[in-house]
Amino acid sequence: LLLLCYTEEAAVIVSGLKNTDVFVGESATFTCELSHPGVKNVQWWLDGSPLHNNFVTEISEQDGIIHTLTLNDVACHDSGTVTFRAGPLISTAKLLVK
């Protein structure tokens, strides 16, 4: 009797978020690349508040691997910590609006 056991390899963060400095009124873009697609519960946060797709916040995904957040027309109060969470994986970076 031969038993084959397939375990799904856990995704890892290939390249995480990078600290970003921008001026008031500009756009700030954060990108996180995962090793493979299919990770559930992907969420972006700014200083602990969940972000959602709207005219100021653009959230996109390419091939299920490259996740991008663009904050448009930033203001000083947008400075803070950006967090990308995909299942158990977390990457953070600082946003500084000057």
Side-chain angles (χ1 to χ4, degrees):
L1 180 63
L2 180 62
L3 292 176
L4 294 177
C5 183
Y6 294 102
T7 57
E8 186 177 315
E9 184 186 338
V12 295
I13 293 175
V14 177
S15 82
L17 305 183
K18 301 200 175 19
N19 292 344
T20 304
D21 294 6
V22 293
F23 291 101
V24 169
E26 292 183 342
S27 295
T29 299
F30 295 87
T31 302
C32 193
E33 183 179 346
L34 302 179
S35 57
H36 49 269
V39 179
K40 303 279 186 260
N41 303 323
V42 172
Q43 178 70 60
W44 290 92
W45 305 75
L46 178 57
D47 271 351
S49 298
L51 298 173
H52 304 284
N53 240 340
N54 56 41
F55 59 96
V56 182
T57 307
E58 294 175 35
I59 297 171
S60 64
E61 177 184 305
Q62 185 181 333
D63 303 326
I65 295 173
I66 299 172
H67 296 266
T68 304
L69 166 70
T70 301
L71 301 171
N72 294 310
D73 194 22
V74 295
C76 287
H77 67 260
D78 292 319
S79 292
T81 302
V82 172
T83 303
F84 171 80
R85 181 174 284 162
L89 306 174
I90 296 177
S91 181
T92 61
K94 295 282 187 205
L95 169 60
L96 177 61
V97 181
K98 300 186 256 194

